[in-house]
Amino acid sequence: MAEHDLTSRMGPYLDRHLVFPLLEFLSGKGIYDEKDLLKGKLDILGNTNMVDFAVDVHANLYVGEEPPKEFKDKRVEVVSQLKNFQTSSEAIIKILSNHDVVDQIQSYRDSRQFVSYIMNKHEYKPEMSDTLYNFAKFNYECGNYSGASEYLYFHRLLVPTTDKNYLNGLWGKLASEILMQNWDTALDDLNRLKEYIENNSFGSSLQSLRSEERRVGKECRSRWSPYH
């Protein structure tokens, strides 16, 4: 059955996080040796912040062996980064958690009006959107797809479509919803991404999609677009 499996062909075009569900599906099917699948997982985890997951996979692959020191060092680094991100993003998250702001999100159809409101009433600064985006990306790399999705939703409300991170944010939001198996929301995000690509001046829609496919193929193993 291995000759009918398309994982090896699809994998290079997917964000590494999206490959995990495929490997989980293959695990136990008897198509591949389980150790080979575990090695594949461990290799993919190398460029993420999912250190605890990597330790678990290592323990299953190399029973009785201590995890490499690099795992422990990486975990210390990730925890330190998390603390820094929590500190730097505290102000914007406090604004977005305010009950009045949450209520206003539903009433403003124009994101520019919403941004103007939080700038005037809640001391929001435009540069905070980059902080929020970076924290969302960090959450994604840690496997916290729920947090990434929530922060990217707010990021999309805060920035214009011309923002440098807008498109990457759309990819990241879509990937997060897929990984959480929120299929209805993922479909909405897919349509929003498709609309963005078609409405921007990249040339024809077909050229745009092909351009995005090429870009994703190059970047998906280390970037978001899929989500960076």
Side-chain angles (χ1 to χ4, degrees):
M1 292 181 64
E3 65 270 19
H4 302 297
D5 175 41
L6 300 178
T7 305
S8 60
R9 294 187 181 183
M10 296 169 57
Y13 298 96
L14 295 175
D15 175 87
R16 62 181 59 245
H17 291 255
L18 292 171
V19 177
F20 290 131
L22 299 180
L23 296 182
E24 290 292 339
F25 175 78
L26 291 173
S27 181
K29 292 291 182 181
I31 301 175
Y32 300 104
D33 184 273
E34 188 66 21
K35 287 190 175 181
D36 289 338
L37 292 175
L38 289 172
K39 289 178 181 178
K41 289 181 183 179
L42 203 57
D43 181 59
I44 292 171
L45 286 166
N47 287 328
T48 74
N49 290 332
M50 300 168 69
V51 184
D52 291 339
F53 187 14
V55 170
D56 289 342
V57 172
H58 184 275
N60 289 327
L61 181 60
Y62 304 105
V63 179
E65 293 187 19
E66 286 292 318
K69 182 178 181 296
E70 63 192 63
F71 284 10
K72 298 178 181 179
D73 293 341
K74 181 68 178 289
R75 194 177 194 285
V76 171
E77 179 186 347
V78 169
V79 170
S80 176
Q81 289 177 339
L82 174 60
K83 291 179 180 179
N84 290 335
F85 274 118
Q86 288 174 330
T87 299
S88 63
S89 60
E90 182 179 4
I92 180 59
I93 291 177
K94 183 177 180 180
I95 292 172
L96 296 173
S97 301
N98 183 285
H99 292 299
D100 292 336
V101 173
V102 173
D103 291 339
Q104 291 299 323
I105 289 175
Q106 305 302 322
S107 62
Y108 282 111
R109 294 186 177 181
D110 188 332
S111 63
R112 289 174 296 183
Q113 292 179 343
F114 173 67
V115 170
S116 178
Y117 161 74
I118 58 176
M119 287 181 69
N120 294 329
K121 300 292 185 179
H122 297 277
E123 300 182 351
Y124 168 75
K125 297 178 178 61
E127 57 267 25
M128 289 180 176
S129 66
D130 287 343
T131 301
L132 186 65
Y133 172 84
N134 290 330
F135 191 33
K137 178 184 178 296
F138 179 81
N139 274 272
Y140 182 89
E141 291 298 337
C142 290
N144 181 10
Y145 307 122
S146 176
S149 172
E150 179 181 8
Y151 297 147
L152 288 174
Y153 165 74
F154 286 123
H155 178 264
R156 192 180 73 236
L157 295 179
L158 295 173
V159 300
T161 57
T162 54
D163 184 84
K164 62 185 179 182
N165 292 321
Y166 185 84
L167 180 57
N168 284 349
L170 293 181
W171 279 114
K173 179 69 163 55
L174 172 60
S176 297
E177 300 299 344
I178 290 174
L179 288 162
M180 292 188 293
Q181 299 184 30
N182 294 334
W183 303 120
D184 290 341
T185 306
L187 180 59
D188 290 339
D189 288 335
L190 178 62
N191 287 331
R192 183 175 290 108
L193 177 61
K194 180 175 179 289
E195 181 181 0
Y196 173 85
I197 293 173
E198 290 179 344
N199 289 340
N200 278 271
S201 56
F202 301 132
S204 70
S205 298
L206 180 59
Q207 289 173 332
S208 302
L209 290 171
R210 285 176 175 172
S211 175
E212 284 302 301
E213 288 173 356
R214 287 193 295 270
R215 187 169 70 85
V216 171
K218 292 179 180 178
E219 299 180 0
C220 65
R221 280 177 282 195
S222 60
R223 289 181 55 92
W224 249 341
S225 321
Y227 190 39
H228 183 48

